[in-house]
């Protein structure tokens, strides 16, 4: 999400304007004795964002604060961001609503929050590795930042199709398998062909639960896939894409071919 409504630029630093008290952005600054830890974003899985809509991403984390601080003295939220630091990042996502925190001791809180990652606020070039971090605000809205708490993948959603013909086919004859690999274009809000990618043609014999790889083919500049294989027994053909750092892994639903 481009840092704007929820995460706004203030004096060269990011602040969560939606969460800051009315006295926010007052002159001066404070460094809070607060540490974020044990932050888990999306249960450790990549965040896959489609061509339209918003993805809700759960976050759990721990906040440890000085004994001299009351929980009413600060507000601590998780952030994911693209770049080397929260302060300099142009793209980041913070919660739109209050996190839920439970005091596990006099100086430790266990917290949960939700990040709403919207396609409309992303550009294709920032797909890939992002960072986890945290921002704690004092009563005057002055932020304390904690960067580089671990990596998280923010990926473009992919789609994969397959069609094996003819159906049915005589044993020993050629089967032509076509398909298409596409991925979300966050800027256009549509799906577009993902070219020059290695995609596996796989086969699962009728009655089996396991796919085996027959060959690897390259998608065309438009994402099109086409290859041939020899019919042997009844079963399912599919294409499978291992994914990249920017794009989700995906496998097509198997297409059944009856061999006579």
């Amino acid at each position: 999400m481009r840092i704007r409504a929820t995460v706004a630029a203030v004096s060269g630093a990011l602040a969560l304007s939606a969460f800051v008290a009315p006295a926010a952005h007052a002159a001066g600054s404070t460094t809070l004795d607060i540490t974020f830890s044990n932050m888990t974003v999306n249960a450790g899985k990549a965040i896959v964002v489609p061509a339209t809509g918003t993805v809700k991403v759960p976050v759990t984390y721990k906040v440890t604060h000085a004994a001299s601080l009351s929980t009413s003295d600060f507000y601590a939220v998780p952030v994911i961001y693209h770049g080397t630091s929260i302060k300099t990042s142009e793209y980041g996502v913070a919660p739109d609503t209050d996190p839920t925190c439970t005091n596990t001791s006099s100086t430790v809180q266990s917290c949960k929050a939700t990040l709403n990652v919207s396609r409309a606020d992303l550009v294709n070039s920032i797909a890939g590795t992002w960072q986890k971090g945290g921002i704690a605000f004092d009563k005057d809205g002055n932020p304390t930042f904690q960067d580089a708490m671990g990596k998280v993948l923010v990926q473009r959603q992919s789609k994969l199709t397959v069609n094996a013909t003819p159906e049915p086919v005589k044993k020993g004859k050629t089967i032509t398998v076509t398909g298409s690999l596409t991925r979300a274009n966050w800027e256009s809000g549509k799906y577009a062909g993902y070219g020059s990618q290695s995609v596996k043609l796989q086969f699962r014999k009728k009655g089996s639960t396991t796919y085996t790889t027959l060959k690897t083919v390259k998608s065309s500049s438009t994402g099109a896939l086409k290859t041939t294989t020899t019919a042997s027994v009844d079963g399912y053909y599919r294409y499978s894409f291992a994914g990249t750092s920017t794009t989700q892994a995906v496998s097509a639903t198997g297409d059944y071919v009856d061999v006579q």
Side-chain angles (χ1 to χ4, degrees):
M1 177 181 296
R2 184 178 291 274
I3 297 168
R4 45 192 183 198
T6 302
V7 185
V10 180
S11 300
L14 301 181
L16 304 183
S17 59
F19 301 135
V20 180
H25 318 323
S29 63
T30 303
T31 300
L32 292 170
D33 188 359
I34 289 175
T35 302
F36 291 82
S37 62
N38 294 12
M39 186 174 291
T40 300
V41 176
N42 205 33
K45 299 177 292 185
I47 300 168
V48 178
V49 184
T52 59
T54 298
V55 178
K56 293 186 177 296
V57 179
V59 182
T60 59
Y61 59 104
K62 184 170 73 173
V63 176
T64 302
H65 59 89
S68 59
L69 285 175
S70 166
T71 55
S72 62
D73 293 333
F74 66 88
Y75 192 88
V77 296
V79 179
I80 60 171
Y81 60 96
H82 182 265
T84 57
S85 74
I86 301 173
K87 289 183 180 180
T88 60
S89 176
E90 186 181 3
Y91 293 91
V93 183
D96 294 332
T97 56
D98 292 356
T100 301
C101 295
T102 302
N103 294 325
T104 57
S105 76
S106 60
T107 58
V108 178
Q109 289 185 315
S110 178
C111 300
K112 297 179 180 179
T114 300
L115 306 178
N116 292 314
V117 183
S118 173
R119 181 285 305 175
D121 293 313
L122 299 174
V123 294
N124 297 328
S125 61
I126 62 172
T129 302
W130 286 38
Q131 296 284 342
K132 298 182 287 186
I135 310 177
F137 296 95
D138 66 15
K139 288 183 176 180
D140 293 325
N142 298 307
T144 296
F145 304 97
Q146 186 171 333
D147 292 315
M149 294 180 59
K151 298 178 180 179
V152 58
L153 284 180
V154 179
Q155 295 180 313
R156 296 161 68 173
Q157 187 183 58
S158 58
K159 295 184 177 182
L160 192 54
T161 63
V162 65
N163 184 34
T165 58
E167 305 173 52
V169 64
K170 291 185 178 180
K171 184 175 181 179
K173 294 296 184 178
T174 298
I175 293 174
T176 300
V177 186
T178 57
S180 178
L181 175 63
T182 58
R183 62 174 175 170
N185 184 320
W186 292 334
E187 294 162 33
S188 69
K190 299 179 181 179
Y191 288 84
Y194 194 13
S196 302
Q197 300 302 306
S198 295
V199 180
K200 295 178 180 179
L201 174 64
Q202 298 182 326
F203 177 74
R204 175 169 65 87
K205 184 179 178 180
K206 181 180 179 181
S208 172
T209 59
T210 304
Y211 276 94
T212 58
T213 298
L214 302 179
K215 62 173 71 176
T216 299
V217 298
K218 286 275 191 180
S219 59
S220 73
S221 60
T222 61
L225 298 162
K226 185 176 182 179
T227 191
T228 60
T229 188
T230 302
S232 56
V233 294
D234 295 351
Y236 300 83
Y237 292 89
R238 75 175 185 183
Y239 281 117
S240 182
F241 174 58
T244 65
S245 62
T246 65
T247 306
Q248 170 198 26
V250 63
S251 294
T253 300
D255 187 21
Y256 182 76
V257 175
D258 177 18
V259 178
Q260 298 178 344

